[in-house]
Amino acid sequence: TKIAAKINGKTQTRDRILNSARRLFADKGYHKTTVFDISKQAGLSEGALYKYSQGKEDPVQIGVKNEVRRDRI
């Protein structure tokens, strides 16, 4: 359905943002990574990134939550 496709697209974009942030944090460090860096790496404009994320803190928080979930399984 259209709704499922829309949700899947949003999930893929959010995953792209998270993966880009992880790579940049590993390469440059958290403090030297900018929102512009993340958006460029993810292939998005800064404005589009904010549609999916609160900023560079968001990928860190989501990453920590995902790690905690994995540890519980």
Side-chain angles (χ1 to χ4, degrees):
T1 67
K2 288 183 180 181
I3 294 171
K6 189 173 184 178
I7 291 169
N8 189 39
K10 285 184 177 183
T11 300
Q12 289 176 350
T13 301
R14 191 161 177 88
D15 288 345
R16 210 167 66 232
I17 292 167
L18 293 173
N19 290 331
S20 296
R22 275 192 212 109
R23 278 191 298 263
L24 288 163
F25 293 159
D27 291 345
K28 296 174 69 169
Y30 176 80
H31 293 290
K32 291 185 179 178
T33 299
T34 65
V35 170
F36 177 77
D37 294 332
I38 297 169
S39 63
K40 185 177 175 183
Q41 176 83 26
L44 300 168
S45 68
E46 286 182 76
L49 183 129
Y50 280 108
K51 181 178 177 181
Y52 296 94
S53 176
Q54 300 287 319
K56 76 177 191 178
E57 297 84 9
D58 201 30
V60 173
Q61 293 170 353
I62 291 168
V64 168
K65 288 177 188 176
N66 289 342
E67 291 299 319
V68 169
R69 283 187 197 124
R70 270 186 243 148
D71 287 346
R72 289 183 179 172
I73 293 177

